[in-house]
């Protein structure tokens, strides 16, 4: 049964599953069938558009990033194989296949009983993140109950984190009543939330480093497409720094620049199309809420793939700037054994929570990112031996010259690693502490949800940037 479920899941991606879910939800909210159908189709078109753009951009920039890493001369034993290979590992293990079924049931039930106001099953693909951690627990302990417990608790923490940033993410990126739910790309937001008052105290909120301000101050050179061209060209220049005398190098440099500018130009148009898909559901939900007693209506969010925020100007710009910075950090951090490579292009995915919380303040995003992802390199270093063992068990070959493998995007997660290590010890004490900590956080957030959302909006407004990142049509 699990293999059948896995094959169905692999056959139908987000561009098919999300439209079906949207149509079903729209019909439940009594949206006319024609509008519901068009809403679903529009969402599918938008998601496919995001995929096409990202899949076209990645092969252009990835070789340049590889060259950048090679040019540094860094020789570290743990090689970053990327989230794509990691997802294969996650879904190829026994715990991974088991969680395919358990995760769908768990996430649906939690939403229906109102434990959470985020409907997570609309982005099932990203469940592999839980599977990887659970598989490593299983390799060490041989205990499926511990592995399953680890995955479930990680899912609970992740869902809570997703709900915490839901309204801010939805507001900033301009997608009504939606949020991202991939555990690996939500976690940095929690660090950003803690750091925000600290950065404000030293004046980072007064640094107007966001796309809107750059456009006003720099004129033509601040336009997102022009800025994208220069940022992309800079990445290309660093990647080709040892061979600038060759005309092919300059072709590569300018190609990366044009490709980055293209993402900046095309993404907002696809984003506008995608956002329109949620209008009928949002309108129907508001009408339904209006019929109830004032204050008793439920504000809920549909989980969507984080590809929806990849090309937003502040997100893509800050993410690209972090690429050479994190290569440098890998080189200078004492005790680090990981060289991030494949997942560097995923940095715009990884910082979306930080961007939304800081209202596009790229100075804050970069500082938070450098600190958090540097800590994450140590987590990758600690878990690389276990992940390598799991990957080899399912038939993943090690790249030439690599002693260990890891995933910078998936495994550089300090908070997730705390839950993971609690279950790895099999200690009832530490597992209980992890569970109690979650329950306390859940209770405090649910009791003060509106006040907390208002606080996040006030903090975001202090960054002197527009309320929304994308100008959605």
């Amino acid at each position: 049964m699990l293999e059948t479920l896995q094959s169905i899941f692999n056959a139908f991606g987000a561009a098919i599953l999300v439209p079906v879910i949207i149509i079903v939800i729209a019909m439940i909210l009594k949206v006319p069938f024609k509008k519901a159908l068009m809403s679903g189709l529009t969402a599918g078109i938008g998601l496919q558009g995001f995929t096409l753009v990202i899949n076209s951009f990645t092969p252009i920039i990835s070789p340049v990033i590889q060259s950048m890493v090679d040019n540094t001369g860094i020789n570290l034993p743990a090689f970053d194989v990327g989230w794509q290979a990691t997802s294969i590992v996650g879904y190829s293990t026994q715990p991974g296949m088991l969680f395919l079924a358990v995760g769908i049931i768990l996430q649906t039930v939690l939403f229906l009983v109102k434990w959470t106001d985020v409907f997570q099953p609309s982005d099932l693909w990203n469940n592999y993140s839980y599977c990887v951690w659970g598989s490593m627990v299983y390799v060490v302990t041989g205990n499926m109950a511990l592995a399953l417990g680890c995955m479930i608790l990680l899912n609970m923490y992740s869902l809570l984190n997703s709900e915490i940033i839901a309204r801010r993410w939805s507001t900033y990126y301009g997608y009504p009543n939606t949020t991202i739910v991939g555990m690996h790309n939500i976690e940095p937001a929690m660090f950003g939330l803690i750091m925000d008052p600290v950065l404000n105290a030293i004046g980072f909120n007064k640094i107007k480093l966001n796309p809107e301000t750059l456009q006003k101050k720099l004129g033509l050179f601040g336009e997102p497409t022009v800025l994208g061209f220069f940022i992309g060209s800079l990445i290309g220049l660093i990647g080709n720094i040892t061979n600038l005398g060759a005309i092919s190098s300059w072709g590569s440099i300018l190609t990366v620049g044009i490709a980055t500018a293209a993402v900046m130009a095309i993404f907002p148009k696809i984003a506008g199309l995608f956002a329109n898909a949620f209008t009928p559901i949002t309108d129907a939900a508001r009408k339904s809420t209006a019929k109830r007693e004032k204050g008793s209506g439920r504000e809920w969010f549909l989980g969507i793939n984080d590809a929806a925020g990849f090309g937003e100007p502040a997100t893509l710009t800050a993410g690209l700037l972090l690429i050479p910075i994190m290569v440098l950090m890998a080189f200078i951090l004492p005790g680090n054994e990981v060289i991030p490579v494949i997942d560097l292009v995923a940095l715009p995915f990884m910082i979306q929570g930080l961007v939304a919380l800081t209202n596009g303040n790229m100075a804050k995003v970069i500082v938070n990112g450098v600190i958090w992802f540097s800590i994450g390199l140590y987590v990758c270093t600690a878990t690389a031996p276990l992940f390598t063992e799991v990957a080899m068990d399912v038939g993943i070959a090690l790249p030439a010259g690599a002693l260990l493998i890891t995933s910078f995007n998936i495994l550089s997660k300090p908070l997730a690693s705390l839950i993971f290590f609690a279950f790895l010890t099999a200690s009832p004490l530490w597992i209980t502490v992890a569970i109690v900590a979650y329950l306390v956080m859940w209770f405090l957030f649910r009791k003060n949800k509106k006040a907390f959302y208002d606080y996040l909006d006030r903090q975001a407004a202090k960054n002197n940037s527009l309320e929304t990142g994308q100008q959605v049509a």
Side-chain angles (χ1 to χ4, degrees), residues 441-452:
M441 290 173 59
W442 177 86
F443 175 77
L444 291 175
F445 173 71
R446 297 294 292 186
K447 184 179 179 181
N448 304 285
K449 182 176 178 179
K450 185 179 183 304
F452 192 79

Side-chain angles (χ1 to χ4, degrees), residues 11 22 28 44 112 136 150 171 199 231 236 286 307 325 359 384 418 463:
I22 287 177
I28 292 173
L112 292 177
M136 291 193 293
C150 178
T171 300
L199 294 179
I231 296 294
R286 286 171 180 166
I325 296 174
N359 216 22
L418 295 178
N463 291 284

Side-chain angles (χ1 to χ4, degrees), residues 147-178:
L148 188 59
C150 178
M151 291 185 288
I152 289 174
L153 189 58
L154 281 171
N155 197 162
M156 302 286 278
Y157 267 101
S158 176
L159 199 50
L160 176 59
N161 291 346
S162 179
E163 188 170 5
I164 287 173
I165 69 167
R167 195 169 83 176
R168 186 94 286 278
W169 191 93
S170 175
T171 300
Y172 180 82
Y173 285 96
Y175 302 125
N177 291 93
T178 60

Side-chain angles (χ1 to χ4, degrees), residues 111-152:
F111 178 77
L112 292 177
V113 300
K114 299 185 178 181
W115 183 268
T116 178
D117 288 324
V118 172
F119 185 72
Q120 186 175 356
S122 46
D123 187 28
L124 293 171
W125 167 252
N126 277 318
N127 281 353
Y128 70 81
S129 195
Y130 313 114
C131 302
V132 170
W133 294 99
S135 297
M136 291 193 293
V137 170
Y138 186 67
V139 161
V140 174
T141 66
N143 188 320
M144 185 63 77
L146 279 176
L148 188 59
C150 178
M151 291 185 288
I152 289 174

Side-chain angles (χ1 to χ4, degrees), residues 55-69:
N55 286 350
S56 297
F57 182 58
T58 301
I60 294 173
I61 196 170
S62 292
V64 175
I65 294 174
Q66 180 71 60
S67 297
M68 180 194 306
V69 173

Side-chain angles (χ1 to χ4, degrees), residues 92-369:
S92 298
T93 65
Q94 287 182 320
M97 286 191 287
L98 177 61
F99 194 75
L100 274 176
V102 172
I104 294 172
I105 296 170
L106 172 70
Q107 294 156 11
T108 304
V109 169
L110 289 175
F111 178 77
L112 292 177
V113 300
K114 299 185 178 181
W115 183 268
T116 178
D117 288 324
V118 172
F119 185 72
Q120 186 175 356
S122 46
D123 187 28
L124 293 171
W125 167 252
N126 277 318
N127 281 353
Y128 70 81
S129 195
Y130 313 114
C131 302
V132 170
W133 294 99
S135 297
M136 291 193 293
V137 170
Y138 186 67
V139 161
V140 174
T141 66
N143 188 320
M144 185 63 77
L146 279 176
L148 188 59
C150 178
M151 291 185 288
I152 289 174
L153 189 58
L154 281 171
N155 197 162
M156 302 286 278
Y157 267 101
S158 176
L159 199 50
L160 176 59
N161 291 346
S162 179
E163 188 170 5
I164 287 173
I165 69 167
R167 195 169 83 176
R168 186 94 286 278
W169 191 93
S170 175
T171 300
Y172 180 82
Y173 285 96
Y175 302 125
N177 291 93
T178 60
T179 187
I180 53 173
V181 290
M183 182 184 80
H184 40 283
N185 293 330
I186 294 171
E187 187 184 281
M190 298 305 100
F191 177 68
L193 192 154
I194 296 170
M195 284 290 292
D196 205 59
V198 177
L199 294 179
N200 284 350
I202 56 180
F204 267 77
N205 58 307
K206 297 177 182 177
I207 301 176
K208 297 182 180 182
L209 188 59
N210 57 69
E212 297 82 13
T213 303
L214 289 177
Q215 188 171 347
K216 290 178 181 177
K217 289 188 174 182
L218 300 179
L220 174 64
F221 295 100
E223 289 284 345
T225 51
V226 178
L227 186 63
F229 173 76
F230 282 114
I231 296 294
S233 298
L234 175 63
I235 298 294
L237 184 66
I238 297 172
N240 290 277
I241 196 71
T242 60
N243 197 29
L244 294 180
I247 191 169
S248 60
S249 296
W250 287 101
S252 172
I253 292 168
L254 295 176
T255 298
V256 175
I258 289 293
T260 307
V263 174
M264 292 283 202
I266 296 171
F267 228 86
K269 293 177 172 56
I270 302 175
L273 181 69
F274 186 60
N276 288 338
F278 297 93
T279 302
I281 292 179
T282 303
D283 291 343
R286 286 171 180 166
K287 290 177 182 177
S288 176
T289 301
K291 294 178 181 179
R292 305 176 188 178
E293 183 180 350
K294 186 177 180 181
S296 64
R298 183 186 188 189
E299 181 184 23
W300 61 276
F301 300 86
L302 184 71
I304 61 173
N305 193 276
D306 29 43
F310 181 93
E312 187 273 324
T315 307
L316 186 57
T317 301
L320 292 179
L321 289 173
L322 277 167
I323 289 176
I325 296 174
M326 291 315 303
V327 172
L328 175 64
M329 295 307 296
F331 181 75
I332 66 175
L333 287 174
N336 169 58
E337 297 182 358
V338 174
I339 177 62
V341 183
I342 308 300
D343 273 342
L344 286 173
V345 76
L347 278 164
F349 291 108
M350 298 162 67
I351 62 173
Q352 287 182 36
L354 295 173
V355 174
L357 288 175
T358 62
N359 216 22
N361 185 324
M362 291 188 288
K364 284 185 177 181
V365 172
I366 291 172
V367 170
N368 284 329

Side-chain angles (χ1 to χ4, degrees), residues 42-104:
T42 303
I45 292 168
L47 283 173
Q48 191 62 45
F50 290 137
T51 302
L52 291 172
V53 172
I54 295 171
N55 286 350
S56 297
F57 182 58
T58 301
I60 294 173
I61 196 170
S62 292
V64 175
I65 294 174
Q66 180 71 60
S67 297
M68 180 194 306
V69 173
D70 293 342
N71 291 339
T72 62
I74 302 175
N75 184 20
L76 296 170
F79 183 84
D80 164 31
V81 294
W83 62 265
Q84 298 94 331
T86 305
S87 66
I88 295 172
V89 173
Y91 285 134
S92 298
T93 65
Q94 287 182 320
M97 286 191 287
L98 177 61
F99 194 75
L100 274 176
V102 172
I104 294 172

